[in-house]
Every structure is written in C-alpha cells, then in structure tokens.
Amino acid sequence: MKFKNPMLVVTDINKSVEFYKKVFGLHVIMDFGANKTLTGGLALQTSETYKEFIGASDISFGGNNFEVYFEEDDFDKFADRLKEYDIEYVHPIIEHSWGQRVVRFYDPDKHIIEVEKT
C-alpha cells in the first residue's frame, strides 16, 4: 500500500486553484476537470462529483479537525505577502513555547491551512 496525496473537496475548483496558485505558488500538474492535482501532491475535487462518489446530498465545510500543513523558510516574507490577499485568519502569527512560529488561516472553503517557519 502507498499513500498518494490528500484531497480537498471544494465548491469552486477554479477559485481554489487560483487561491493555492497565488498564495503558495502551486500549479496544476494533472487536470481531470472535476479533479485537479497541484504541485506538492494536493488534490482538489468538486463537491458535486464528490457527493456522487459517496452517495451523499450534502457536504459540510468549516470543520476544525483537519488542516493542510506547509513549511516556509522565509516565514516573515510569506506573512507579509498574505496581507496582499483577503485572508480570513484562524489566528494571527503566534510563537509556541518551544519557539516555533506559525499562522493558520482558511482557504476559500474554510479548510484550515497552517504555515510554519522551518
């Protein structure tokens, strides 16, 4: 068995691709229309097709039990760049007691994104 990649269900795949492109510099490496894989292995799936896959009529967004995690060498530059976008923060930059600096914010579908200083 081999783990491949995480997949986020999204309401507007083009909006999500654009978000991950401009905020993180990711780009599409596989495009199946309703499913797109981005550099780094993040996959996006439209909510309409995912509902069909799992036989459900509703998908809930905005849970706080999962996050997509990134590391950034130039954390301060990244944090400054975030100010250019309409970002909804989970919390501002914090420094944990062990010295790790981190920021958490939402993507367009309220998936939590964590970025920390490497």
Side-chain angles (χ1 to χ4, degrees), residues 7-16 33-36 44-61 109:
M7 183 184 75
L8 300 177
V9 177
V10 299
T11 55
D12 183 331
I13 199 160
N14 294 323
K15 182 177 181 179
S16 292
N35 178 283
K36 299 180 191 297
L44 305 174
Q45 182 75 45
T46 64
S47 58
E48 295 83 17
T49 55
Y50 195 68
K51 288 175 191 177
E52 291 175 29
F53 294 166
I54 65 170
S57 61
D58 190 34
I59 303 285
S60 61
F61 292 93
D109 289 294

Side-chain angles (χ1 to χ4, degrees), residues 10-29:
V10 299
T11 55
D12 183 331
I13 199 160
N14 294 323
K15 182 177 181 179
S16 292
V17 166
E18 187 60 27
F19 173 84
Y20 284 98
K21 180 180 178 180
K22 70 182 182 182
V23 175
F24 295 102
L26 304 182
H27 60 272
V28 176
I29 56 173

Side-chain angles (χ1 to χ4, degrees), residues 8 15-16 19-20 22-24 61-68 70 78 82 85-92 103-115:
L8 300 177
K15 182 177 181 179
S16 292
F19 173 84
Y20 284 98
K22 70 182 182 182
V23 175
F24 295 102
F61 292 93
N64 63 357
N65 61 344
F66 175 82
E67 67 181 25
V68 179
F70 293 85
F78 176 80
L82 282 179
Y85 309 113
D86 185 26
I87 298 290
E88 181 181 353
Y89 290 88
V90 175
H91 61 71
V103 65
R104 288 182 180 88
F105 53 94
Y106 296 104
D107 80 353
D109 289 294
K110 294 285 211 178
H111 300 106
I112 296 175
I113 308 295
E114 175 184 337
V115 180

